[in-house]
Amino acid sequence: MAAAILSPSRVSEFRAVIVLEDGGGGRLFPLCSQSSAPTSGHLPVANRPLISYQFELLEDVGFSEVIIVCTKAASSALSVLSQMYPTKLKCNVIEADDGMGTAEALLRLPKDFREPFILLGGDALIDETCFHRMVDLHRSREAALTVLVRCPPKPTVLKKGAKPASLPFEKTKVSKRSSETTYYIGVDNTHRRLLHYNIDMGVGDAGAGDEVIRVKKSLLRRFPNVTIHNHMEDLHVYICAPWIIDVLASHGNLQSFQDDLVPYLVKRQFRRKFLEKFTPPTEEAILVSKNSHSAPNLTGGCFAWIESESYCRRVTTPQSYMIVNQDVAASRTSFLPMEPEERRNFVHPSVKTETQIGPNSVVSEGVTIGANTSIKNSTIGQHCQIGNKVRIINSLIMDHVHVADGTTILGSIVCSNTIIAERCNISHSVVNYALQLSEKTQVTDDLKLA
């Protein structure tokens, strides 16, 4: 399907809302913390805060302002980031309580907020073409809710004897601690109607693959061409009718937009009493059919845009965080780092180095790199000091990190303000903020917290 490129004026009927969830105790621990990155949107991706990519997207598609709902700590950090990475958007920040869910946070919007809106969860990287396709579907179906879903790319056909590329932190303590969520998403293949939505948080392996999916016969008669997917990812990007805020206000037990509100709306999109209570009469006439055996309504209700071509990913675990960093560094998205591009990498002019930096790498300002050091497929944050004979491969080094001579860092994340002494070996691990590793420290397949 060819992408329809929308003019900037065509998003004028929508408002943009970003809800930044508190990430301190979730699956991104220890990367997100109150003192460093209160939410995933504050995390650096190729040396830019993740939320700056969302600002760039909203600017490119024609928005002039955005409402940001976040905690007080996130608001303070956001004001600092806005000075370092300015945006043309007018940012209206609304503070929410700590631990408040995304659905609850929307109730902090002004009482006169009555326009259709686009909700972003603050942790996604989405190309513009993907955004346009989602908006086109929402408009063509006059939808109440449109959900953006990512379909993983098909596996690459390997030559005989070749092994598939391993994912970051694959089969390590890091990946076991932060297992991915499984979404059970039922979509009508003909009209993209979202008919089933359920989430398995992936806490353990018990019962995996034994999920029982129940679908009403009346729904199958109405939509006979339905596929239940369990390999897709909800990107936490939604286009919403304004009356969805009224649903939240009348149901105090709906805390999370994704976990609570989306399943709630999907289950009730064909119920007459629910529609009579919340939707305008014109929408009700479209949504409700007196005869359940009649042809399916092609407008109104809940829909899903399944994206399989343009780039779109969420940052929800250390593994997905590493993948997104590598994708931006390797120019697999339409977004670029702030550093100028040269020889298949992005290196700030202020970098002082005595060695050649390998491809698909991003090196920020104020970095010094010693002699006989190798940096490949990695990101180095601001004002880092890298010693002599250091090897950094497939890794992410945040700001103000000191790496002494002879150290090897392979497939790992090293958080800001960490000091690593000589001849350390860090492999497939996450090293917490502001740690000091003594000489010859070995960290393998682990979360190094202290």
Side-chain angles (χ1 to χ4, degrees), residues 150-158 231 307-309:
R150 172 181 173 268
C151 178
K154 295 180 180 180
T156 305
V157 178
L158 301 175
H231 64 288
E307 183 59 56
S308 59
E309 298 176 5

Side-chain angles (χ1 to χ4, degrees), residues 142 199 221 266:
E142 299 179 21
I199 300 175
R221 284 194 292 266
V266 170

Side-chain angles (χ1 to χ4, degrees), residues 299-312:
T299 56
C302 303
F303 289 83
W305 176 259
I306 301 175
E307 183 59 56
S308 59
E309 298 176 5
S310 296
Y311 189 88
C312 53

Side-chain angles (χ1 to χ4, degrees), residues 87-352:
T87 175
K88 297 178 183 178
L89 295 171
K90 178 184 177 182
C91 297
N92 303 308
V93 180
I94 300 175
E95 291 187 3
D97 298 335
D98 292 346
M100 184 173 284
T102 45
E104 294 175 300
L106 289 178
L107 294 177
R108 295 297 178 95
L109 295 174
K111 293 184 179 180
D112 60 350
F113 188 91
R114 301 305 304 171
E115 297 94 339
F117 62 97
I118 297 174
L119 174 65
L120 298 97
D123 57 7
L125 195 67
I126 307 161
D127 276 356
E128 184 178 343
T129 302
C130 172
F131 179 88
H132 289 324
R133 290 169 173 166
M134 180 187 183
V135 172
D136 276 349
L137 173 66
H138 185 85
R139 286 203 187 97
S140 65
R141 300 295 189 246
E142 299 179 21
L145 173 71
T146 301
V147 179
L148 178 59
V149 179
R150 172 181 173 268
C151 178
K154 295 180 180 180
T156 305
V157 178
L158 301 175
K159 296 181 180 179
K160 187 176 181 180
K163 294 182 179 179
S166 60
L167 294 172
F169 307 115
E170 192 170 16
K171 298 179 181 180
T172 67
K173 292 181 181 179
V174 178
S175 63
K176 290 178 181 178
R177 187 186 183 279
S178 56
S179 56
E180 296 284 353
T181 299
T182 299
Y183 299 86
Y184 296 92
I185 299 175
V187 181
D188 166 53
N189 298 322
T190 305
H191 309 295
R192 298 193 178 96
R193 195 72 178 245
L194 181 59
L195 302 172
H196 181 87
Y197 189 97
N198 190 27
I199 300 175
D200 178 2
M201 295 305 293
V203 176
D205 295 330
D210 297 333
E211 183 76 12
V212 177
I213 306 297
R214 293 181 174 86
V215 181
K216 291 184 178 180
K217 290 183 179 179
S218 59
L219 196 63
L220 291 176
R221 284 194 292 266
R222 206 168 177 187
F223 298 93
N225 190 16
V226 178
T227 301
I228 305 292
H229 305 271
N230 67 351
H231 64 288
M232 295 186 179
E233 179 185 19
D234 181 343
L235 291 171
H236 216 162
V237 178
Y238 312 102
I239 307 179
C240 309
W243 56 262
I244 286 179
I245 301 295
D246 299 331
V247 176
L248 289 172
S250 62
H251 293 79
N253 60 334
L254 299 175
Q255 298 179 344
S256 166
F257 198 101
Q258 183 183 73
D259 300 348
D260 302 323
L261 182 60
V262 174
Y264 182 86
L265 293 173
V266 170
K267 289 178 181 178
R268 286 161 178 79
Q269 62 181 314
F270 299 108
R271 295 185 184 180
R272 180 182 293 275
K273 290 184 179 180
F274 173 80
L275 297 170
E276 288 176 346
K277 183 177 180 180
F278 293 108
T279 64
T282 53
E283 291 190 27
E284 178 197 352
I286 296 174
L287 285 168
V288 180
S289 174
K290 294 182 180 180
N291 183 0
S292 61
H293 298 278
S294 63
N297 301 314
L298 303 185
T299 56
C302 303
F303 289 83
W305 176 259
I306 301 175
E307 183 59 56
S308 59
E309 298 176 5
S310 296
Y311 189 88
C312 53
R313 266 193 178 275
R314 278 187 77 188
V315 173
T316 56
T317 65
Q319 185 180 66
S320 61
Y321 176 54
M322 182 76 90
I323 291 172
V324 168
N325 269 276
Q326 293 174 346
D327 288 345
V328 175
S331 301
R332 298 188 187 104
T333 82
S334 61
F335 299 101
L336 297 174
M338 301 294 290
E339 294 78 8
E341 184 175 7
E342 58 173 49
R343 297 181 193 152
R344 295 175 59 199
N345 56 36
F346 300 85
V347 181
H348 194 274
S350 66
V351 172
K352 298 179 180 179

